[in-house]
Amino acid sequence: MKVRAPSVDSRYFDVRKLIHGQGLHTICEEARCPNISECWGRGTATFQILGDTCTRACRYCYVHSGRPSDPPDPLEPLRLAHAAAQMKLKHVVITSVDRDDVPDRGAGHYAATIRALKRKLPEASVEVLTPDFLGVEEEALRTVLAERPEVFNHNIETVRRLHRRMRGAKASYDGALWLLRRAKELADYPVLTKSGIIVGLGETNDEVVETMRDLREAGVDVVTIGQYLQPSAKHATIDRWVHPDEFRWLREQGQALGFGSVFSGPLVRSSYRADEQRHAAETGRGAIAL
Ligand code: SF4
């Protein structure tokens, strides 16, 4: 796999300056995403709210884990909306660390961020990629969906057999499916629901199809499938490199299951070209192999 280095004539350096200048975090940097040159070069990024320290420690994830030292920053939603407006984003993707230390698990902060965005950029659509809101799921979903994000995303990440091993005892495969199903039930507008699967962690292709089937049964509209890249020696080792032909096969399986959009390819990440994923699902363009 090859990725491009940042080019001086792209928007990469402008995006970097703006994000750092506003004291914001992005999952692009925190998770060492391989697509950063391409995405930032196109003038897009995925914002990470609620700080830079996650209260979970998934075995595949590079985001710093520990006990956050600060409560959510009440001015972060405004700074984020300002940055998104400067970037002229038409589709804004927000994710976060897990905040098991905060009573509402960060749901109110998500809501405040969506509100700030809709005020500052009323034409833009908003996609939230949320944590599982452990223990307060129903209230948290109500709080977030009351602000009407166009896309509700929660990544199931891996297949049922590996879920606990990769994500720890707090995370639950069935809990993730419940959250996605319940989001659709609670929304009083046509929300798109979305989830992502990482491959190369020890699963089989048949198990990936089984997970896609579970997601479809939970009413999920959009799915992404991408290759795991081990971010450091301390993280889970790569079990296999999935061949582009297998990604194509998985895409076809997802299409047959009826997803509105399937993005499947080695460098696909949940937020990779998220505007196009949404567009594909809404216009019935369907599956895309990358
Ligand atoms: S794929 Fe997502 S996380 Fe990666 S650089 Fe692009 S926007 Fe950021």
Side-chain angles (χ1 to χ4, degrees), residues 117-232:
L117 279 167
K118 296 225 170 231
R119 222 175 285 131
K120 189 90 178 171
L121 278 171
E123 303 299 321
S125 48
V126 178
E127 172 170 337
V128 289
L129 165 55
T130 77
D132 60 14
F133 300 127
L134 183 66
V136 296
E137 295 87 350
E138 176 87 11
E139 305 93 287
L141 278 179
R142 288 181 189 275
T143 301
V144 172
L145 292 167
E147 304 304 330
R148 302 170 77 88
E150 279 74 11
V151 182
F152 178 87
N153 185 350
H154 178 66
N155 283 339
I156 198 153
E157 310 284 18
T158 186
V159 302
R160 182 183 289 280
R161 179 173 58 82
L162 299 178
H163 210 262
R164 178 176 278 245
R165 195 186 318 161
M166 289 296 156
R167 307 203 63 204
K170 283 186 177 171
S172 151
Y173 183 89
D174 288 314
L177 293 173
W178 181 90
L179 201 76
L180 288 157
R181 185 182 296 111
R182 191 69 183 133
K184 198 129 221 185
E185 287 167 1
L186 285 175
D188 60 0
Y189 62 98
V191 70
L192 270 186
T193 54
K194 171 173 165 181
S195 194
I197 305 169
I198 306 165
V199 291
L201 289 170
E203 73 297 316
T204 65
N205 286 341
D206 286 344
E207 286 178 305
V208 177
V209 175
E210 195 57 45
T211 297
M212 283 199 280
R213 190 169 294 120
D214 290 341
L215 291 170
R216 275 304 294 147
E217 280 172 10
V220 172
D221 303 296
V222 177
V223 70
T224 58
I225 307 169
Q227 170 70 50
Y228 171 59
L229 298 175
Q230 184 179 355
S232 86

Side-chain angles (χ1 to χ4, degrees), residues 27-28 33 35-36 39 46 269 271-272:
I27 192 68
C28 321
C33 182
N35 299 319
I36 194 164
C39 295
T46 293
R269 299 295 179 263
S271 51
Y272 181 63

Side-chain angles (χ1 to χ4, degrees), residues 5-272:
S7 114
V8 283
D9 54 3
S10 79
R11 294 174 65 191
Y12 177 93
F13 293 101
D14 295 337
V15 168
R16 190 164 180 267
K17 193 169 161 197
L18 182 62
I19 284 167
H20 292 178
Q22 289 293 330
L24 296 167
H25 300 289
T26 64
I27 192 68
C28 321
E29 287 185 300
E30 306 291 326
R32 286 185 156 183
C33 182
N35 299 319
I36 194 164
S37 299
E38 178 185 339
C39 295
W40 288 26
R42 291 170 63 227
T44 63
T46 293
F47 298 103
Q48 177 186 296
I49 60 174
L50 291 161
D52 63 356
T53 304
C54 185
T55 50
R56 307 281 175 90
C58 298
R59 292 191 54 210
Y60 48 79
C61 183
Y62 193 68
V63 173
H64 174 63
S65 88
R67 189 148 185 91
S69 51
D70 298 312
D73 173 358
L75 296 180
E76 185 179 57
L78 298 178
R79 296 201 310 275
L80 190 154
H82 175 75
Q86 294 281 305
M87 291 161 75
K88 298 186 173 58
L89 292 178
K90 293 191 170 60
H91 183 75
V92 188
V93 189
I94 311 159
T95 190
S96 72
V97 289
D98 271 67
R99 289 297 299 254
D100 295 316
D101 59 316
V102 174
D104 75 350
R105 309 291 184 256
H109 199 72
Y110 266 95
T113 306
I114 302 166
R115 265 199 307 279
L117 279 167
K118 296 225 170 231
R119 222 175 285 131
K120 189 90 178 171
L121 278 171
E123 303 299 321
S125 48
V126 178
E127 172 170 337
V128 289
L129 165 55
T130 77
D132 60 14
F133 300 127
L134 183 66
V136 296
E137 295 87 350
E138 176 87 11
E139 305 93 287
L141 278 179
R142 288 181 189 275
T143 301
V144 172
L145 292 167
E147 304 304 330
R148 302 170 77 88
E150 279 74 11
V151 182
F152 178 87
N153 185 350
H154 178 66
N155 283 339
I156 198 153
E157 310 284 18
T158 186
V159 302
R160 182 183 289 280
R161 179 173 58 82
L162 299 178
H163 210 262
R164 178 176 278 245
R165 195 186 318 161
M166 289 296 156
R167 307 203 63 204
K170 283 186 177 171
S172 151
Y173 183 89
D174 288 314
L177 293 173
W178 181 90
L179 201 76
L180 288 157
R181 185 182 296 111
R182 191 69 183 133
K184 198 129 221 185
E185 287 167 1
L186 285 175
D188 60 0
Y189 62 98
V191 70
L192 270 186
T193 54
K194 171 173 165 181
S195 194
I197 305 169
I198 306 165
V199 291
L201 289 170
E203 73 297 316
T204 65
N205 286 341
D206 286 344
E207 286 178 305
V208 177
V209 175
E210 195 57 45
T211 297
M212 283 199 280
R213 190 169 294 120
D214 290 341
L215 291 170
R216 275 304 294 147
E217 280 172 10
V220 172
D221 303 296
V222 177
V223 70
T224 58
I225 307 169
Q227 170 70 50
Y228 171 59
L229 298 175
Q230 184 179 355
S232 86
K234 287 190 210 148
H235 289 80
T237 51
I238 297 171
D239 176 74
R240 62 173 177 150
W241 293 95
V242 179
H243 192 273
D245 289 345
E246 294 176 278
F247 277 111
R248 262 188 290 277
W249 182 81
L250 290 168
R251 178 203 68 194
E252 287 160 10
Q253 301 305 306
Q255 258 182 312
L257 287 167
F259 285 101
S261 160
V262 184
F263 267 43
S264 172
L267 290 171
V268 168
R269 299 295 179 263
S270 188
S271 51
Y272 181 63

